[in-house]
Amino acid sequence: MTPRPLVPTLTAALFLTTALSASGQDAPRDAIVLDDITLTANREPVELSRSGSSVSVLTENDLQGRAGQPLSRSLTRLPGVTLRQQGPLGTTGFLEVRGAPGRYVPVVIDGIEVSDATAPTPAYDIGGQITAGIGRVELLRGAQSALYGSRAIAGVLTLESLRPTEDGLRHHFGIEAGSYDTLTASYGATLRRDGTDLAFQVSHVRTDGFSALDENNGNFEEDGYEATRLSFYSAHRLDNGVTIGFNGFWEDSTADFDDFSDVAGTPGDDYSENESYGLRGFARFSTGAVDHDIALTRYRISRDSYYNGFPVSYAGTRTRLSWQGAADLAPGVRAVFGADTEKEKAEGNGDARLTGVFVETTTALSDDMDITTSLRRDDHSRFGGFTSGRVAAVYRADNDLLFRGALGNGFRAPSLYQLFDPFYGTATLEPEESRTYELGVEKQWGDSHLRATAFWLKTDNLIGFDDNGTPSDWNDDLYNQVPGIARRRGVEIDGRYAFGAGHALTASYSFIDNQTDVPDWARAPERVLNLGAETTFATGTTAGIDLQHVAGRAAGLDDFTTVDLLVSHSVRGNATAYLRLENVLDEDYQWVSGYGTAGRAVYAGLRASF
């Protein structure tokens, strides 16, 4: 694919952001609310306007009317995000950020890291994650190992379940039904009273689905999915100022799938049974000038996959203990420091421990500029140590014009499977290493904004499957450090223009220059465009349309365009009915070669809070 220069694209974006209507320049800055806070860009929550990192936030309002929809559908509308999913809801799916495969994007749910420790390349399988039960999403882009350790090469995705937002007891109910005999239901309750926060939620989804292998190739059996998820949260502030809490989740699912060996006319009886849980206990307190945060987390996943009746079982755990302290060193200077230790274990493939220490300082160089520096040292029980660093800065040229820049490095430790599998493991593997740089600009006016970010990413010392020069002989195949360097450069642009009462236009565009010959790095599409419009009628009915165009694809995959519609109407003060149409144009397309996607689909739902 012919490389394209970044300078003209970024120059145009910079021109647009600085040439927007001057009418908004004198408007006062909005009051800081939770939507204006990033929980992940630094070691402590910080205002988005004081962060030098590229962050996207989806709130509960952004996700309304999408309860039974795969969460990945909302995420792929964010700049720089694409998907690799092998069929309908419940089949294997991984997010790619800035063209990097899913194993370079750790996923944290309610403070618990959920990458699958048993997989050859640990990552979070998002293919069965629906939107119901998710209250907040944050995507932090760029190398973040200085904050989050191993695997944080392309970014970090953080999901948060239902939380109390107001005093008293609140109930939340939702039900949705539609195409492919899909039914989704959820119930949640929150309580905030006398220094105590409580939340509980349960959701269930069942669908007949469609053939994972593309029906256009003669595959017509249904690949269904059924899952139940429970989550809870509790926190209590004691009279002495100490906050203690406990949260967790449990999920059980059964999913049909088609593996690569299935062909038209075969039984298509492959399926998997997955069960996972996560637990987290935490405490926050202060001693003198130092604020402390201690947490212990435990994640376990078990997977039983049946290939044409032949069972294969996997089970793994991740246990993590962390301590973090924070203190003001001087006016405008704050330091965060701490340590953590994590043990991963996979049945049949041993275990490994990763221990790290870190320090981060945030300095207000002036009223208009903040700079954050982070340094972390990790020690792996198998390959030794790695030092990662990060610098991020933001300059507020005006109340509504921001310039951001960040640079850092990262690493990905070899997985337990890659190290210790009796057939394919190599115990001497070294970590993969990466470097990233990014430069961005943001223009704000009222409820509108336009952002542009240019980025560069390089990853080397890659781990891959090595056939030892004998492709016809599998007996000598193993994981190894493989030749090649994965390079990425690109531009991400996103914006929102609000006008009138309840009307807005949205857009995002990603351009990725795939400068690599590494196979699984070369699959990202070159261009992704998302366009949206939303409006509110005098009757209170809201309507929205989303268009996505994906182009410049690898592996001979065709470009495609999809259109989705969402209409909602308040039927009572606390209840809303909605209708969602997906793939209105009935586009035939594939995210992964040979695997199908949904045709035109219709879903209707009702949600209520009281």
Side-chain angles (χ1 to χ4, degrees), residues 57-214:
V57 178
L58 295 176
T59 66
E60 186 177 11
N61 288 337
D62 299 317
L63 301 173
Q64 285 183 351
R66 307 178 187 275
Q69 188 179 68
L71 180 62
S72 59
R73 203 171 183 94
S74 294
L75 294 173
T76 56
R77 295 188 180 98
L78 301 177
V81 181
T82 55
L83 176 69
R84 287 189 57 81
Q85 180 138 356
Q86 297 177 344
L89 180 69
T91 56
T92 301
F94 300 104
L95 289 178
E96 297 180 334
V97 176
R98 293 180 171 175
R103 61 182 176 272
Y104 302 104
V105 186
V107 177
V108 179
I109 300 180
D110 296 335
I112 304 164
E113 216 261 281
V114 292
S115 301
D116 184 355
T118 71
T121 52
Y124 176 62
D125 183 354
I126 202 169
Q129 178 67 64
I130 58 174
T131 305
I134 302 299
R136 180 182 173 89
V137 176
E138 273 200 33
L139 177 65
L140 172 63
R141 301 176 183 84
Q144 306 295 338
S145 287
L147 297 178
Y148 294 96
S150 176
R151 292 187 290 275
I153 282 179
V156 178
L157 178 65
T158 302
L159 310 180
E160 186 175 86
S161 302
L162 183 68
R163 294 287 187 272
T165 58
E166 55 187 295
D167 290 340
L169 176 64
R170 300 282 294 175
H171 301 273
H172 307 267
F173 169 79
I175 189 166
E176 178 182 301
S179 298
Y180 306 107
D181 287 333
T182 301
L183 178 65
T184 305
S186 65
Y187 167 76
T190 61
L191 175 68
R192 173 170 290 174
R193 183 177 298 163
D194 299 330
T196 298
D197 277 3
L198 299 174
F200 169 80
Q201 188 160 50
V202 56
S203 62
H204 182 80
V205 61
R206 190 204 65 78
T207 179
D208 287 347
F210 51 87
S211 176
L213 286 173
D214 203 314

Side-chain angles (χ1 to χ4, degrees), residues 42 49 61 137 196 222 404 429 439 461 466 495 515 518 520 527 602:
N42 292 352
S49 62
N61 288 337
V137 176
T196 298
E222 296 175 339
R404 292 184 171 94
L429 290 174
L439 180 65
N461 208 32
D466 186 358
Q515 299 178 309
V518 181
D520 62 342
R527 303 178 301 281
V602 182

Side-chain angles (χ1 to χ4, degrees), residues 97-101 103-105 142-145 151-155 386 408-413 430-437 455-464 481-489 515-521:
V97 176
R98 293 180 171 175
R103 61 182 176 272
Y104 302 104
V105 186
Q144 306 295 338
S145 287
R151 292 187 290 275
I153 282 179
F386 189 89
N409 69 327
F411 76 103
R412 186 185 77 85
E430 297 291 322
E432 298 178 320
E433 302 179 14
S434 76
R435 293 186 297 279
T436 186
Y437 312 96
F455 66 87
W456 181 85
L457 169 65
K458 176 183 176 182
T459 304
D460 54 17
N461 208 32
L462 298 171
I463 299 172
Q481 316 287 161
V482 296
I485 297 176
R487 293 184 178 89
R488 287 281 189 273
R489 62 177 184 175
Q515 299 178 309
T516 179
D517 55 0
V518 181
D520 62 342
W521 279 79

Side-chain angles (χ1 to χ4, degrees), residues 10 13-14 16-20 29 35-36 47-56 394-405 439-453 492-496:
L10 183 57
L14 291 170
L16 284 171
T17 55
T18 54
L20 292 173
R29 296 187 63 185
D35 295 0
D36 299 317
E47 299 171 28
L48 283 167
S49 62
R50 306 187 76 94
S51 169
S53 297
S54 175
V55 185
S56 292
V394 57
Y395 173 61
R396 295 172 290 280
D398 202 343
N399 284 341
D400 54 9
L401 180 61
L402 291 78
F403 294 91
R404 292 184 171 94
L439 180 65
V441 59
E442 177 177 353
K443 174 73 173 180
Q444 304 168 345
W445 70 109
D447 292 329
S448 304
H449 71 268
L450 183 61
R451 289 186 288 255
T453 303
E492 299 163 343
I493 303 173
D494 74 291
R496 183 178 190 271

